[in-house]
Amino acid sequence: MSSRSTPSLSQISSLQQRSPATQFTRPFAPPTAAYLHIPFCRRRCHYCDFATGRGTPELIERYVQALCQQIQQVTGEFPPLQTVFFGGGTPSLLSGEQLQRIVDALRDRLGMSPTAEVSLEANPGTVSLHSLQHYRNVGINRISLGVQAFQPELLEACGRLHGVNEVYEAVGHLKAAGFDNFNLDLIFGLPHQRIDHWQYSLEEVVCLAPTHVSLYDLTIESGTRFGRLYQPGSQPLPSDGDTVEMYQMAIAILTQAGYQHYEVSNFARPNRQCRHNRVYWENRSYHGLGMGATGYVNGRRYEQPKTLADYFSQVEDGQFPTTARVTDRERLLDTLMLGLRLQEGLSTAELASSFSDATLDVIRKMLAPYRLRGWVEEKDGRLRLVSPDGWLFSNSILVDLMTAL
């Protein structure tokens, strides 16, 4: 499942630090994707630990100027962008004119394919037919709408500012504005959430007919309001058995409705998979711009400053974050952790050519017990987790795999 199925960054870091520090010498493909972080919200949700905060119009405008300046500071020559993702935060708090300036800066400095997928996260209640029409004119062609639930009491408990009616209004505006490609987010495992709540939310999503659906299994993060109120595994959070039932119910309802379950937490209509997110799952390079954004360019992962003051200072000084190149072992671990989230899994031929036959043998040996259980299969030259049990237990499988390596 989403957040519970993937090893934490601290687990990955610990495993990587114990790995030999051999340097990766083969060339990296240049990035054709860009993530831009917009760190402003009207109010922080109770489960959120992202780099966000409230923003005045003056502060948002200063941030847009800094972001455009940072785009111009990117060094190197790169092929045109094929995907762009505005995440947050709530990027739909920006005006169409502000988004236009950012997109223009991207086109000017990095180039952009005429067929690029350009996604923007939005919350119900922050978009109107007029604003969405402006976004379309800017070049935004995919919207990801943070619905989360269809029960007013659950939305209120999460600290969401929108109501259920605003969800229907936002989807209506999306369709009227000509967005034929949009995603709806849902969260399961919320406090006080019942099985019948979840079933109703899934059925409503199907009725709204998005081209893509993303599911998030709630993780209680320290430092959040939920982290102060609730302990994982205790009431009023649903039991592990209930969250497993919710996940299996989602698979049944969404696949029956014609959605392809192409990634652990994501479902799409044919030819409507999120092209940008596949960049991450395939462990490809991408630009990361804006406060708190991470990037991966030329074999180096980097992270932008996490406070506005530090971010503004860095941009004003003309600096850009740097870090050491990833090692062979780190890239292998990332490739496995991310690629096994995809329904098609990983090519064994590519694993052998990118790393070694001996490494592939270790992977096969470690996964042998899980193959006997039917959780993992190797078929037609690909290694993959088998739904639903392989994905339900993917956290254990991936941690065991990383430890073995």
Side-chain angles (χ1 to χ4, degrees):
M1 291 180 287
S2 63
S3 50
R4 292 183 185 173
S5 66
T6 304
S8 68
L9 291 177
S10 61
Q11 287 174 305
I12 296 167
S13 176
S14 175
L15 291 167
Q16 290 174 347
Q17 288 169 7
R18 296 200 302 267
S19 304
T22 54
Q23 290 297 318
F24 192 81
T25 57
R26 291 176 289 280
F28 286 80
T32 58
Y35 172 81
L36 298 98
H37 190 67
I38 309 300
F40 304 108
C41 286
R42 288 180 174 172
R43 182 171 70 188
R44 179 182 289 274
C45 297
H46 297 341
Y47 50 78
C48 177
D49 69 340
F50 296 157
T52 64
R54 292 173 61 88
T56 63
E58 294 77 16
L59 185 60
I60 292 175
E61 173 57 27
R62 183 184 176 191
Y63 183 80
V64 169
Q65 293 176 9
L67 184 55
C68 290
Q69 184 177 349
Q70 183 176 57
I71 293 169
Q72 296 297 333
Q73 292 172 352
V74 174
T75 59
E77 296 301 320
F78 303 100
L81 295 171
Q82 300 295 325
T83 69
V84 175
F85 198 102
F86 288 90
T90 309
S92 51
L93 293 179
L94 269 60
S95 69
E97 185 273 335
Q98 288 170 326
L99 280 169
Q100 181 72 69
R101 284 153 51 199
I102 298 171
V103 171
D104 286 346
L106 287 171
R107 287 197 176 105
D108 179 63
R109 177 61 192 89
L110 298 173
M112 191 180 300
S113 166
T115 60
E117 175 194 86
V118 186
S119 301
L120 181 133
E121 289 184 341
N123 283 340
T126 66
V127 293
S128 64
L129 177 58
H130 175 74
S131 68
L132 288 167
Q133 288 171 332
H134 202 157
Y135 294 165
R136 285 276 295 167
N137 292 335
V138 165
I140 308 296
N141 53 31
R142 183 179 182 275
I143 297 290
S144 182
L145 196 66
V147 173
Q148 317 311 10
F150 281 83
Q151 292 74 34
E153 65 274 21
L154 293 184
L155 292 173
E156 184 177 355
C158 289
R160 302 292 287 179
L161 287 175
H162 73 267
V164 177
N165 287 339
E166 288 172 303
V167 173
Y168 298 115
E169 290 174 358
V171 172
H173 292 327
L174 282 171
K175 295 178 178 180
F179 281 96
D180 62 355
N181 190 15
F182 67 96
N183 169 72
L184 300 183
D185 286 345
L186 289 178
I187 299 179
F188 64 102
L190 291 168
H192 304 289
Q193 189 178 40
R194 303 192 306 265
I195 299 294
D196 61 305
H197 287 150
W198 182 242
Q199 180 175 350
Y200 179 79
S201 293
L202 290 167
E203 291 170 347
E204 288 302 290
V205 161
V206 170
C207 288
L208 291 173
T211 50
H212 193 282
V213 181
S214 294
L215 309 180
Y216 296 93
D217 181 9
L218 178 70
T219 298
I220 303 297
E221 302 285 0
S222 61
T224 66
R225 181 174 174 81
F226 273 4
R228 295 188 293 272
L229 291 174
Y230 308 118
Q231 293 297 317
S234 63
Q235 294 182 338
L237 298 171
S239 67
D240 286 345
D242 283 347
T243 58
V244 167
E245 184 177 348
M246 290 177 183
Y247 184 62
Q248 292 173 324
M249 177 183 289
I251 295 173
I253 290 176
L254 293 173
T255 55
Q256 180 65 32
Y259 291 90
Q260 177 194 11
H261 189 190
Y262 76 98
E263 192 269 346
V264 171
S265 305
N266 288 275
F267 300 75
R269 295 290 189 190
N271 301 314
R272 293 299 194 179
Q273 296 183 15
C274 181
R275 289 163 52 195
H276 182 83
N277 284 344
R278 286 194 67 99
V279 170
Y280 305 143
W281 298 321
E282 294 171 9
N283 201 25
R284 291 186 273 142
S285 301
Y286 61 95
H287 302 281
L289 301 161
M291 185 192 96
T294 60
Y296 183 35
V297 178
N298 195 29
R300 299 177 184 272
R301 294 195 183 275
Y302 61 86
E303 185 174 24
Q304 303 285 355
K306 292 186 176 181
T307 68
L308 279 173
D310 289 342
Y311 177 71
F312 288 148
S313 176
Q314 174 189 274
V315 173
E316 289 167 2
D317 291 342
Q319 302 298 313
F320 207 85
T322 59
T323 187
R325 290 171 62 88
V326 300
T327 64
D328 281 357
R329 190 57 53 89
E330 289 166 345
R331 190 179 189 193
L332 172 61
L333 295 177
D334 290 342
T335 297
L336 293 170
M337 181 189 73
L338 297 166
L340 286 175
R341 294 181 62 89
L342 289 166
Q343 187 275 334
E344 71 263 31
L346 293 161
S347 164
T348 52
E350 290 180 7
L351 283 173
S353 64
S354 295
F355 302 102
S356 70
D357 289 330
T359 297
L360 182 57
D361 288 342
V362 172
I363 294 170
R364 285 175 169 145
K365 181 177 180 181
M366 183 270 143
L367 292 177
Y370 296 114
R371 292 177 67 180
L372 292 175
R373 296 183 188 182
W375 297 358
V376 175
E377 72 174 9
E378 185 175 339
K379 184 178 179 181
D380 300 326
R382 302 196 72 85
L383 192 65
R384 70 184 190 94
L385 303 182
V386 179
S387 177
D389 286 346
W391 284 352
L392 282 168
F393 294 97
S394 59
N395 186 48
S396 298
I397 296 171
L398 290 170
V399 170
D400 287 351
L401 185 57
M402 291 182 180
T403 302
L405 291 168

